[in-house]
Amino acid sequence: MIPVDHPRYHSLVTRERLARCAEQGIVAWEGLTAHGRGEAFDYLLGERTTESAMLAARIASAMLLTARHPVISVNGNTAALAAREIASLQKATGALVEVNLFHRTEVRILKIENLLRDAGADVFSGPAERLLPLSHDRAWCRREGMYAADVVLVPLEDGDRCEALVGMGKKVIAIDLNPLSRTARTATLTIVDELTRAVPHIAESCTTIGTEERVTLLKETDNRYFLSEAICEMTGRLSLALD
Ligand code: ATP
Ligand code: MG
């Protein structure tokens, strides 16, 4: 039992949830280490949404709302941490929700799809095909889903699939706490923020953004700017720690 007054309460509860989901076969064991890398970068960021990440989330809402065929790609960690938030974002954007896994088994896919459905998401499922130019199992997706998408939101992505999706001419929005990752550097737009903070920000932006603002924001998509702002935030906090 984690005491509510523990200074790291939120982080410990999140770890406990991920461990439980790993035991249930929803999160891959390897997903726990991926979470650890994310936590380390979040520590550097101050565990808060920065101004630049807030702007990136607003641009992401503009991209999703103007897309012809937007898709939200969900893996085990994303479902374990943010199933309800993903369901709300789907309602705000009308995007398809599709499960895509590196450690892929049919059983895990069903478990994740059920978790998402229980949280209120309408999951696009059914037979997948090996459609993406990748040698690992992230290549499996649905022809009418991710394969046909023009904009894909990829929380906690692999750099090589991000690159493959961009190479296919899609606009890719990544959520990644590591501004140095291949994903962050390859995506069309990276929101350097924690998943459970970023997803609600995108959904909230969808309700307030006007048509004119969408057009203006879409012209401002400059991924390098968002990465360099995140790196400045982190290095700034590191140097302050020495004072
Ligand atoms: P890449 O394949 O892009 O080079 P990587 O191999 O370093 O990245 P992975 O293990 O593939 O990283 O994916 C985990 C990524 O997700 C990490 O970059 C980590 O910072 C990020 N991450 C983990 N948990 C969260 C979270 N809750 N919110 C946002 N980002 C997260
Ligand atoms: Mg990777």
Side-chain angles (χ1 to χ4, degrees):
M1 186 67 184
I2 300 161
V4 184
D5 62 351
H6 192 288
R8 303 293 303 156
Y9 177 78
H10 182 71
S11 159
L12 295 178
V13 168
T14 304
R15 287 180 184 183
E16 203 174 57
R17 172 159 184 75
L18 282 170
R20 202 170 51 242
C21 286
E23 275 161 12
Q24 292 168 357
I26 290 163
V27 166
W29 296 112
E30 293 83 351
L32 300 179
T33 54
H35 180 75
R37 171 141 55 215
E39 274 194 331
F41 280 101
D42 206 18
Y43 224 109
L44 294 177
L45 206 57
E47 296 175 314
R48 79 214 142 95
T49 300
T50 63
E51 234 174 85
S52 59
M54 196 59 121
L55 175 60
R58 204 156 179 81
I59 298 178
S61 75
M63 286 169 73
L64 289 165
L65 288 173
T66 51
R68 173 183 47 79
H69 186 51
V71 172
I72 303 171
S73 176
V74 177
N75 70 352
N77 283 40
T78 303
L81 295 174
R84 254 181 299 148
E85 289 84 347
I86 293 289
S88 301
L89 182 61
Q90 177 177 43
K91 287 193 180 71
T93 58
L96 286 187
V97 168
E98 183 176 345
V99 175
N100 179 276
L101 304 177
F102 186 85
H103 301 282
R104 185 180 199 278
T105 66
E106 288 303 325
V107 174
R108 252 192 96 212
I109 287 176
L110 284 179
K111 284 183 181 173
I112 293 170
E113 288 181 347
N114 285 339
L115 175 63
L116 288 164
R117 287 195 181 104
D118 288 347
D122 184 5
V123 182
F124 189 70
S125 58
E129 297 168 66
R130 211 179 171 106
L131 294 172
L132 305 184
L134 294 166
S135 53
H136 57 72
D137 282 354
R138 283 272 210 181
W140 289 86
C141 68
R142 282 132 194 120
R143 197 169 281 281
E144 306 304 326
M146 211 149 334
Y147 185 70
D150 57 341
V151 175
V152 191
L153 173 68
V154 293
L156 323 189
E157 184 60 24
D158 292 306
D160 44 358
R161 192 177 73 121
C162 184
E163 200 173 351
L165 293 170
V166 170
M168 291 167 81
K170 302 179 194 307
K171 290 190 179 133
V172 178
I173 306 162
I175 300 173
D176 193 338
L177 279 159
N178 178 3
L180 306 173
S181 76
R182 292 172 307 143
T183 299
R185 294 155 67 99
T186 321
T188 316
L189 174 73
T190 305
I191 305 169
V192 184
D193 199 7
E194 204 280 323
L195 173 77
T196 62
R197 296 195 300 266
V199 175
H201 288 321
I202 307 172
E204 155 70 20
S205 278
C206 288
T207 64
T208 55
I209 198 166
T211 321
E212 246 174 72
E213 191 188 350
R214 280 185 214 173
V215 177
T216 317
L217 284 180
L218 289 176
K219 284 191 205 135
E220 280 177 25
T221 314
D222 175 3
N223 196 40
R224 264 187 82 84
Y225 165 78
F226 291 109
L227 299 187
S228 66
E229 283 295 300
I231 291 166
C232 284
E233 292 276 354
M234 291 181 189
T235 48
R237 282 178 54 83
L238 274 175
S239 51
L240 277 178
L242 293 172
D243 289 346

